Amino acid sequence: MNRCRHDFWFYAVAAALAVLAIVPRFVVLEERPLHHDEAQHAWYGYSSMRDGHYTHSPILHGPSLILTTGLVYKALGDSIGVGRGMVAAFSLIAMLAAAALWPRRYRWWFFPLIVTSPYLLYYSRFLRNELIFCAFVLVGVIGFARSMRGRSLAKRAAWGMLGPAPIVALLAWKENALFVMASGVVFGVVWLVAHLFWARATRTRRLSRVRAWHEPFVTAEAMATFSGWLAGVAVGMVYVIFIYGITAQKGTFAPLANIHQSIQYWAGQQSEHRISGTLYYHLPIMLTYELPILLMLAVGLVLDAVRAPRRTTVYLLAIAGWLVLWSIWRGMSPLPWPLGGFEKFLHIQEPGVPMLVLGLWIVPLLVWSILALKEHMLLGSWMAFWAACSIFQYSVAGEKVPWLAVHIMLPIYMTLGWVWAPILRRSGAGLRAAAIVAMVCATALAVRNDYYLIGPRAADPVERMVYNHTTVEYDHMCREWLSRWQRQEAERKLSSRRVDLVGELGWPGVWYFRHCAYDLPENPPESTDGWDLIMGVTGVMNPLCQQINSPLWKCTAMSLRDHWTPAWPEGNRMDQWRAWWRYYWRRETWSPKGHFEMIVVEPLGGSMAPSAETPKR
């Protein structure tokens, strides 16, 4: 009887977690209008399916997303719901991999937190690379972890191959894989130094010095693991070369040239403020959606610090050291060595208060990482190190957009599980009960925030995570015309419908009207003759609207996309925090939305006579 009850509750909880993970990721995927970037990825994926080839463009990052989207469209149809569903499927892989990388006893404590994360959920329903990136990295970390504790040499080598292969392959998805690689290499050096000195020092205290230093360091297990890593790097590079090779100009195979272009473009983005923002750009947005997680991590680090007097001393000395370094740095003003050699990539004009706050966030994570390494929690140590590096890397990156914080929040979630697992293991029933209550409340609050990011506000920049978005009005207008034309297919083919997208109206218009005969001119036509729909930027369209006297046409003003401004409430410090709290708790926005004004010239009758000449795409 007890076994039956145990099985019932196990399957009930598993089913609830599955619903919590799957349903929010796959419901109403078609409803939200296309974001500018989604439209680009969707259209080029569609064109690769239609033409059988895609020529790599560095601005769209690695070609893998485009090619994979095209393959999925070929199998399931070219709708935006299918494209977003592909990303949602990858996000489930990322969530399962995350659970596998937490301590076994407590992984299901933290799983409800990560699957309901507003940040990770929103971009799980977004046709971009971010959640695919997360899946590849976490699967690679599983490979690295299993390769170092496999029971047989063959298993170590096989798992070792799985480690670097997906992470190297990420270069063909998005170039900021270089950030993860750089963090991994530095962590590997730290780990090697710790292994050589701490482990050997322990043996020296227990045994004779001679015997300790004559113990073999290069074992058969280590060689099997290392050979697997080398093979994984080779497999990843073959994939990268293949993908960049087949996306060169038709008739050529030039992978190195394409790779060079991508790396150059990415380096250029980091060397300039393509989309500028302050060092703390991501922090307010993360506080708005992930406040419980950040608080739980902070509490966990404090509890770890007060666990023993020696640990408290280490934390305090590290924080004091950062304050001294920041004070010296502020007095010297220029970036100190070795940071001064990377000034093009580090957009720190001077070490002001934002840099101080970032340091107070990063230093405890680094301290915990080193202490965890000494306690042989290699996986947890890497998570905290990765989180600290990501906070710094994306804070100083040249491009500031909300989706880059995905690469900060994921390692923070992973670190949360590793920081709290030892605390829960050592704690009594009271603290465990408090932790369960906190996790349930955090999950409930996340679900509340998720509603706004799935429902009608998911495309409204009153949500700070949205940043800018195609308006619902524009989306409804495009869908209404397409639906009307599809109902009139018997009278006139959709492919003969002529749509003029003037000026900067190409995205997302080309996706909506991809099955029509559209044109992308710089200026509007001289007359409406032969066109079914004309739309463009307000200033450019005004002359055409002034010429239209026919009662069969009308000009409608609307916004192509809205954006939020400013990024943080204005006024004194207390007013700013009050405005932020009203937004956090009541969803009361503190600023009007910005608009990208456009004009639509549309026939009142719903159709036009076909033109003798169809414009080229």
Side-chain angles (χ1 to χ4, degrees):
M1 181 65 70
N2 289 336
R3 178 63 183 271
C4 291
R5 287 181 179 177
H6 177 271
D7 289 345
F8 169 78
W9 284 111
F10 173 80
Y11 289 117
V13 171
L17 290 176
V19 170
L20 205 59
I22 295 172
V23 172
R25 281 170 168 74
F26 289 94
V27 295
V28 293
L29 283 175
E30 289 274 1
E31 293 301 312
R32 180 170 51 81
L34 269 84
H35 186 273
H36 174 279
D37 288 31
E38 285 187 297
Q40 290 186 321
H41 296 134
W43 189 88
Y44 282 106
Y46 161 75
S47 69
S48 73
M49 173 197 73
R50 181 193 62 193
D51 304 334
H53 184 268
Y54 164 67
T55 301
H56 169 60
S57 173
I59 197 171
L60 296 176
H61 302 295
S64 290
L65 179 60
I66 306 297
L67 297 178
T68 306
T69 304
L71 291 174
V72 173
Y73 283 164
K74 189 172 184 179
L76 302 176
D78 59 316
S79 72
I80 189 58
V82 168
R84 289 169 176 165
M86 175 193 72
V87 178
F90 271 103
S91 76
L92 289 179
I93 296 173
M95 298 300 101
L96 292 172
L101 288 167
W102 281 316
R104 184 185 299 269
R105 184 183 299 180
Y106 300 104
R107 60 182 51 158
W108 302 117
W109 290 49
F110 302 102
F111 190 70
L113 295 177
I114 195 169
V115 297
T116 58
S117 161
Y119 230 112
L120 299 181
L121 176 64
Y122 186 77
Y123 291 107
S124 295
R125 301 164 48 85
F126 204 93
L127 187 50
R128 277 195 61 89
N129 304 278
E130 267 56 45
L131 264 295
I132 301 176
F133 189 101
C134 295
F136 271 64
V137 171
L138 292 179
V139 168
V141 174
I142 288 176
F144 275 112
R146 295 295 297 270
S147 71
M148 289 185 281
R149 63 171 187 263
R151 295 184 178 181
S152 69
L153 299 182
K155 286 185 177 180
R156 280 177 172 260
W159 282 109
M161 185 182 298
L162 181 63
I167 296 175
V168 173
L170 273 176
L171 288 172
W173 288 86
K174 197 172 184 184
E175 301 79 13
N176 60 334
L178 292 169
F179 277 158
V180 176
M181 292 178 188
S183 302
V185 169
V186 174
F187 179 76
V189 172
V190 173
W191 170 50
L192 182 61
V193 171
H195 182 83
L196 285 173
F197 288 93
W198 286 347
R200 299 282 178 170
T202 302
R203 294 191 190 109
T204 302
R205 287 195 299 269
R206 294 178 180 175
L207 306 170
S208 69
R209 181 178 296 274
V210 175
R211 183 181 173 189
W213 282 99
H214 279 78
E215 289 179 355
F217 178 69
V218 181
T219 62
E221 289 81 4
M223 289 302 296
T225 299
F226 187 66
S227 64
W229 291 354
L230 290 179
V233 171
V235 169
M237 286 308 302
V238 167
Y239 173 82
V240 171
I241 291 170
F242 173 74
I243 293 296
Y244 277 105
I246 64 173
T247 54
Q249 295 291 334
K250 273 193 174 182
T252 63
F253 187 83
L256 295 182
N258 271 352
I259 294 171
H260 178 69
Q261 287 180 2
S262 282
I263 300 301
Q264 263 196 329
Y265 175 78
W266 180 79
Q269 280 186 300
Q270 307 311 314
S271 300
E272 61 184 25
H273 283 289
R274 197 173 76 89
I275 301 177
S276 62
T278 59
L279 287 174
Y280 58 82
Y281 172 88
H282 295 110
L283 182 57
I285 308 175
M286 289 190 292
L287 282 172
T288 301
Y289 295 96
E290 303 284 2
L291 179 63
I293 303 304
L294 299 177
L295 289 177
M296 288 172 67
L297 180 60
V299 171
L301 290 171
V302 170
L303 291 177
D304 181 77
V306 299
R307 191 173 91 195
R310 183 175 296 181
R311 296 178 78 86
T312 306
T313 302
V314 171
Y315 276 96
L316 291 177
L317 286 176
I319 292 173
W322 164 244
L323 294 175
V324 171
L325 176 63
W326 179 81
S327 301
I328 296 173
W329 182 3
R330 189 172 177 82
M332 294 172 57
S333 191
L335 295 177
W337 186 91
L339 300 180
F342 301 95
E343 63 271 5
K344 288 186 177 180
F345 291 87
L346 303 177
H347 299 287
I348 306 170
Q349 302 300 324
E350 61 178 17
V353 174
M355 191 68 244
L356 175 65
V357 173
L358 286 180
L360 293 175
W361 197 11
I362 292 170
V363 168
L365 287 170
L366 291 177
V367 171
W368 191 92
S369 176
I370 300 301
L371 294 176
L373 199 60
K374 191 171 184 179
E375 295 172 351
H376 308 292
M377 291 193 297
L378 180 61
L379 200 51
S381 176
W382 156 247
M383 297 303 177
F385 190 87
W386 178 23
C389 290
S390 296
I391 292 168
F392 178 74
Q393 289 162 346
Y394 291 99
S395 295
V396 302
E399 186 176 33
K400 297 294 192 301
V401 284
W403 50 78
L404 289 181
V406 167
H407 305 286
I408 302 175
M409 283 312 308
L410 178 67
I412 284 178
Y413 270 96
M414 300 308 300
T415 304
L416 179 71
W418 279 97
V419 168
W420 270 94
I423 298 172
L424 294 171
R425 188 168 57 248
R426 294 188 303 268
S427 63
L431 183 56
R432 289 191 179 202
I436 291 175
V437 170
M439 291 175 187
V440 170
C441 292
T443 301
L445 188 57
V447 170
R448 170 187 177 268
N449 290 336
D450 291 343
Y451 168 77
Y452 296 106
L453 299 173
I454 295 174
R457 283 172 55 130
D460 192 338
V462 296
E463 290 294 333
R464 314 310 280 184
M465 195 187 299
V466 173
Y467 176 57
N468 67 13
H469 210 294
T470 304
T471 60
V472 174
E473 293 76 16
Y474 177 86
D475 174 76
H476 285 175
M477 183 269 298
C478 292
R479 295 188 192 217
E480 182 181 343
W481 278 101
L482 287 169
S483 176
R484 184 181 302 175
W485 292 341
Q486 285 168 351
R487 291 195 301 268
Q488 299 170 353
E489 271 290 298
E491 304 170 14
R492 184 177 170 194
K493 294 292 184 184
L494 183 63
S495 58
S496 68
R497 297 287 181 178
R498 298 188 63 188
V499 180
D500 206 12
L501 306 171
V502 183
E504 300 181 49
L505 268 292
W507 307 108
V510 293
W511 169 260
Y512 285 102
F513 300 107
R514 64 193 179 282
H515 298 300
C516 303
Y518 61 82
D519 201 5
L520 300 169
E522 291 293 328
N523 297 299
E526 294 182 358
S527 71
T528 58
D529 294 343
W531 293 99
D532 292 277
L533 198 63
I534 305 170
M535 58 182 72
V537 181
T538 298
V540 176
M541 292 291 291
N542 281 333
L544 177 63
C545 291
Q546 292 171 1
Q547 295 176 11
I548 296 176
N549 297 317
S550 171
L552 299 178
W553 290 84
K554 71 171 181 176
C555 296
T556 305
M558 66 173 63
S559 175
L560 171 66
R561 56 180 175 265
D562 295 342
H563 57 90
W564 49 249
T565 178
W568 186 248
E570 297 177 340
N572 61 50
R573 190 61 54 85
M574 188 58 67
D575 289 340
Q576 290 175 346
W577 283 105
R578 283 179 185 144
W580 171 82
W581 178 252
R582 285 197 301 271
Y583 177 82
Y584 179 82
W585 192 246
R586 302 178 187 173
R587 281 299 186 268
E588 295 178 3
T589 187
W590 58 70
S591 66
K593 291 180 292 187
H595 304 289
F596 187 94
E597 302 294 344
M598 59 172 286
I599 291 177
V600 179
V601 178
E602 53 184 328
L604 294 176
S607 65
M608 288 289 294
S611 172
E613 181 182 356
T614 300
K616 296 181 180 179
R617 297 187 179 187

